[in-house]
C-alpha cells in the first residue's frame, strides 16, 4: 500500500490527536467524539445540532458570499446565535466534498 493510501485511511481524530498532543484532552468530549469517526470512502457522514454562536468578519462575509456558488456553503457568511446546523461530508481520496445548511431557531 502506498504511503498516500495509508494516510487516506487515517481519521481526522487521529491526525488532530497527533497534532494537539496533550491539548487534545482539553477539548470538549463532544468535539473529541466527532473527530473519532472515520467514515468509509464515499459514505455520507452527517452531523446535526445547534450552534450557540457563529461570528463572521466583514471580509469573511464577503468571501462567503463570493465563494458560495463554488463551494456550496463551506464558508458561512453570517453571524448568528442559537441556530440549527447540519453538516455533511462524503470522504473521497481525490477531493473531500462538504456541504452545510443552517436555519435560525
Amino acid at each position: 500500500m502506498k504511503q498516500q493510501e495509508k494516510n487516506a485511511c487515517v481519521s481526522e481524530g487521529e491526525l488532530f490527536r497527533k497534532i494537539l498532543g496533550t491539548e487534545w484532552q482539553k477539548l470538549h468530549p463532544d468535539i473529541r467524539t466527532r473527530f473519532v469517526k472515520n467514515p468509509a470512502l464515499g459514505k455520507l457522514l452527517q452531523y446535526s445540532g445547534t450552534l450557540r454562536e457563529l461570528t463572521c468578519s466583514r471580509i469573511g462575509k464577503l468571501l462567503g458570499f463570493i465563494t458560495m456558488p463554488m463551494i456550496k456553503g463551506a464558508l458561512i457568511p453570517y453571524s448568528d446565535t442559537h441556530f440549527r446546523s447540519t453538516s455533511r461530508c462524503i470522504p473521497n481520496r481525490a477531493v473531500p466534498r462538504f456541504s452545510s445548511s443552517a436555519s435560525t431557531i
Side-chain angles (χ1 to χ4, degrees):
M1 186 182 289
K2 295 178 187 175
Q3 183 65 32
Q4 189 175 18
E5 289 175 356
K6 286 181 184 177
N7 290 341
C9 296
V10 175
S11 73
E12 292 173 316
E14 291 173 270
L15 293 173
F16 287 135
R17 277 194 302 274
K18 183 177 180 181
I19 292 167
L20 292 173
T22 57
E23 296 294 309
W24 172 260
Q25 293 303 317
K26 294 180 182 178
L27 293 173
H28 190 280
D30 290 346
I31 294 171
R32 293 194 312 258
T33 299
R34 180 263 183 253
F35 284 105
V36 168
K37 297 178 190 265
N38 193 16
L41 295 175
K43 298 250 180 170
L44 176 68
L45 181 59
Q46 179 172 307
Y47 300 99
S48 297
T50 302
L51 288 176
R52 287 187 222 164
E53 181 180 7
L54 175 70
T55 58
C56 188
S57 68
R58 288 182 183 155
I59 292 173
K61 288 178 184 181
L62 178 64
L63 287 172
F65 280 114
I66 290 171
T67 61
M68 197 175 291
M70 297 170 273
I71 58 175
K72 297 183 172 88
L75 298 176
I76 301 172
Y78 306 107
S79 294
D80 204 350
T81 58
H82 298 93
F83 62 96
R84 290 187 191 104
S85 177
T86 299
S87 296
R88 296 173 192 91
C89 173
I90 301 174
N92 179 311
R93 281 193 182 118
V95 180
R97 293 185 354 208
F98 298 94
S99 71
S100 62
S101 63
S103 61
T104 303
I105 294 177

